[in-house]
Amino acid sequence: EVSVVESGGGSVQAGQSLSVACTASGFRFGDSDMAWWRQAPGSECELVSTINADGSTYYADSVKGRFTISRDNDKNTVSLQMNRVTPEDAAMYYCAADATRPTSPRKSGPCRGWGVLKFGYWGQGTQVTVSS
């Protein structure tokens, strides 16, 4: 069964750093594209960053230069290092997988829209709170 579990959220002051991580199983992690999405209260979901199976990355303009995504295929983890956070970074952060050879049916998350459809497996989210 596919499992996607986030960890590492919490409270941080503006200007500081925080890292969130995602551990996944039940699919061929090394052959799968992974992503971090976020959703602030009352807002639409935002694609924060992706890291493909080939290691290529994407960052939203809002986080470019501050956030770094990485993956460890030996540990089936993907991490998001967030530096110089701002109050606008406060949100629920979701890890999502475009899973290759999944062992269970799709498990959707809270986000909707065309860009979301690629990612069939979502975690429960981890909360990031930023105080100014």
Side-chain angles (χ1 to χ4, degrees):
E1 181 177 357
V2 174
S3 173
V4 177
V5 180
E6 301 94 341
S7 61
S11 296
V12 65
Q13 287 193 327
Q16 294 185 335
S17 299
L18 186 69
S19 180
V20 291
C22 169
T23 301
S25 62
F27 59 95
R28 291 179 58 171
F29 183 86
D31 294 331
S32 301
D33 299 342
M34 302 294 295
W36 284 99
W37 292 76
R38 67 186 180 187
Q39 186 175 34
S43 298
E44 297 290 326
C45 287
E46 178 186 16
L47 177 59
V48 178
S49 183
T50 65
I51 185 164
N52 291 339
D54 65 3
S56 58
T57 58
Y58 159 85
Y59 296 95
D61 287 343
S62 58
V63 307
K64 201 172 294 184
R66 299 187 299 118
F67 289 14
T68 302
I69 192 170
S70 61
R71 66 190 297 160
D72 185 334
N73 291 338
D74 291 333
K75 297 181 179 178
N76 282 19
T77 60
V78 57
S79 300
L80 186 69
Q81 174 68 38
M82 301 182 285
N83 296 329
R84 304 193 309 278
V85 299
T86 72
E88 288 71 34
D89 295 321
M92 185 72 83
Y93 282 71
Y94 296 95
C95 179
D98 178 14
T100 298
R101 302 274 186 91
T103 56
S104 56
R106 291 170 66 95
K107 180 181 179 183
S108 62
C111 300
R112 299 292 180 266
W114 287 107
V116 173
L117 294 178
K118 170 180 168 68
F119 300 99
Y121 298 86
W122 292 68
Q124 294 299 307
T126 185
Q127 184 70 47
V128 172
T129 304
V130 181
S131 58
S132 57

